[in-house]
Amino acid sequence: MTRISVELVPRSFDHLREECAAISSAFPSLDTLNIPDIMRIPIRSWEACRFTTDYFPNSIPHLRAIDFNLESSQTILEVVEGFREVLIVSGDPPHDFSRRVYSTKATDVIKFLKSKRSDLKVYAAIDPYRSGIQQELEYTTRKLDSGADGFFTQPFFSIELMSVFADLLQGVEVFWGISPVIGERSRNYWETTNRAIFPSHYDFTHEGNQEFGRRALDFADRNDSNIYFMPIRMKAIDYLSGIIPTT
C-alpha cells in the first residue's frame, strides 16, 4: 500500500499545531509527516517530530550529517531515541558559521545508526539533478551498502524522469518527492538553486500542479512505491485537497 507523507516546515509550534490539526482532519488516511532541519529556523526537526506525534503516528525527522560528530555518538543517539524512521541528508554548511559543523558524511551516519539501532529505519536522499544519473546512482549504491533502507527524493516534475529512476531502483523503497511550482519566479528558483528540469508541457498554474500531483500519486500506486508532498509557499490544505482523497 502506498504511503503518503507531507513535508512541513516547523516555523513555530503554534503554526505546526494549526497545520497538523487541519491536515489530519481533512485527510484521515494520511498518517505520515516528514520535517526538514532548516538552519534559519530555531526548532530542530526532531523537536518538531516529537510534537507532531500527537496528530500523526509517523513523523520522520531529517538529520543533517554535518551537524553530528560521531565520536561523540551519544548526541545523535539521543536525537533518534523514540523514533522508528529517520532521513539522513548531507546538509549544507552555514554561510555565517553560526552553527558548528563536521566533516561527517551521510554514509557515515547511516552506517553508524544501523550498527547502533538495527530496529531504526534509515532513509537517505536522492537528488536527480545533483549530477548525472550514473553518478547519482553510484552514490545511491554507496548509501545502500552503508545500510540505507530506502530513499526520499528531491521533487520531481516529470513522470518520464521518475520512470527512468524507478526502473533503475527496482526493489528499493522510495518516497517520490512532489512540490508545487507556480509562476515564473518559483520556476526560476528551482532551476537556478536546485538545477531542476521541467518538461516543456509542465503547467505552472495551481490546477496544473494539482493535476501533476494526482498523476504522480497514481505513478506511486502503480509502482508499489511511496510519495511525499512538499507544499512550499502555499497552504497544505489548498494544495492537497485536489490530490489526496479526503476519505
Side-chain angles (χ1 to χ4, degrees):
M1 183 176 179
T2 297
R3 291 181 64 187
I4 303 174
S5 180
V6 177
E7 182 170 310
L8 297 181
V9 175
R11 295 179 178 86
S12 71
F13 285 116
D14 286 342
H15 182 263
L16 197 57
R17 181 186 296 109
E18 181 181 330
E19 282 198 301
C20 287
I23 293 170
S24 61
S25 176
F27 310 104
S29 62
L30 202 161
D31 65 355
T32 304
L33 294 181
N34 61 283
I35 296 183
D37 198 55
I38 300 174
M39 285 184 290
R40 70 176 184 276
I41 293 177
I43 301 174
R44 303 306 298 263
S45 61
W46 55 92
E47 295 171 337
C49 283
R50 290 195 171 95
F51 177 81
T52 58
T53 52
D54 288 342
Y55 300 91
F56 295 90
N58 305 302
S59 291
I60 304 173
H62 300 199
L63 306 182
R64 293 161 26 97
I66 63 173
D67 286 341
F68 297 99
N69 175 10
L70 297 183
E71 293 181 2
S72 302
S73 60
Q74 192 61 34
T75 301
I76 194 168
L77 292 177
E78 289 172 353
V79 163
V80 302
E81 185 175 356
F83 289 112
R84 294 174 297 189
E85 301 172 288
V86 297
L87 167 60
I88 305 302
V89 300
S90 296
D92 296 320
H95 297 296
D96 58 359
F97 303 101
S98 60
R99 183 188 298 178
R100 183 176 182 182
V101 295
Y102 304 90
S103 59
T104 312
K105 299 178 181 178
T107 50
D108 298 331
V109 177
I110 294 166
K111 185 179 295 186
F112 177 83
L113 288 178
K114 294 303 291 187
S115 71
K116 300 294 185 180
R117 283 277 312 272
S118 60
D119 62 308
L120 183 67
K121 198 164 194 177
V122 179
Y123 295 101
I126 289 177
D127 186 344
Y129 318 113
R130 173 169 28 210
S131 54
I133 291 177
Q134 181 178 357
Q135 292 93 327
E136 189 63 21
L137 288 173
E138 289 173 352
Y139 193 18
T140 297
T141 299
R142 293 199 298 273
K143 292 175 180 178
L144 287 170
D145 290 342
S146 297
D149 297 292
F151 295 89
F152 276 66
T153 77
Q154 279 277 44
F156 276 81
F157 307 103
S158 164
I159 300 297
E160 293 77 15
L161 186 57
M162 291 171 68
S163 298
V164 170
F165 274 83
D167 182 61
L168 297 169
L169 294 169
Q170 291 185 39
V172 177
E173 183 178 358
V174 177
F175 276 86
W176 302 101
I178 304 297
S179 182
V181 180
I182 298 177
E184 283 301 311
R185 183 177 178 182
S186 184
R187 175 182 182 173
N188 290 338
Y189 165 80
W190 280 99
E191 290 180 330
T192 303
T193 303
N194 297 304
R195 302 171 65 185
I197 299 171
F198 294 93
S200 59
H201 55 76
Y202 193 87
D203 185 345
F204 293 92
T205 66
H206 180 84
E207 294 76 13
N209 278 276
Q210 289 179 318
E211 168 62 21
F212 180 74
R214 291 192 294 271
R215 291 175 57 210
L217 179 56
D218 179 66
F219 174 89
D221 285 336
R222 288 187 284 105
N223 285 272
D224 297 320
S225 54
N226 307 314
I227 195 166
Y228 79 93
F229 294 99
M230 187 169 62
I232 295 177
R233 296 181 180 177
M234 64 186 305
K235 287 187 177 181
I237 291 292
D238 293 342
Y239 173 55
L240 298 174
S241 61
I243 301 172
I244 302 175
T246 56
T247 58

